[in-house]
Amino acid sequence: MAYEIPVTQARAELADLINRVVYGGERVVVTRHGKPLVALVSAADLDALESAAAPPVEVVRTVSGTGTSSTLDDRGRYDVAARHGDHH
């Protein structure tokens, strides 16, 4: 669970918060009026979050492919056909 801290307090304790995140492995949520505003996470956590958010390129190719390898021109043509209802 993340440690929550109001933005005014976080401003005064930024160096300590950075140490808690980097060396303590904590995640810190900075709040304003009790609502989450931003989160402090380690660079390693950020890399992991970004990697999890983006599907691997091969998965995208498999899902968007037509069963054969297609060029960018083919994908564009299929996209136009799908938007206009033309299946030729």
Side-chain angles (χ1 to χ4, degrees), residues 57-79:
V57 175
E58 290 302 317
V59 171
V60 173
R61 284 189 188 134
T62 302
V63 171
S64 65
T66 60
T68 61
S69 63
S70 58
T71 65
L72 182 59
D73 292 336
D74 288 340
R75 287 191 300 260
R77 186 178 76 225
Y78 295 137
D79 181 48

Side-chain angles (χ1 to χ4, degrees), residues 15-34:
D16 182 53
L17 293 174
I18 290 171
N19 286 333
R20 289 177 75 156
V21 169
V22 174
Y23 301 112
E26 292 185 51
R27 292 178 178 175
V28 176
V29 176
V30 180
T31 62
R32 180 179 287 151
H33 306 294

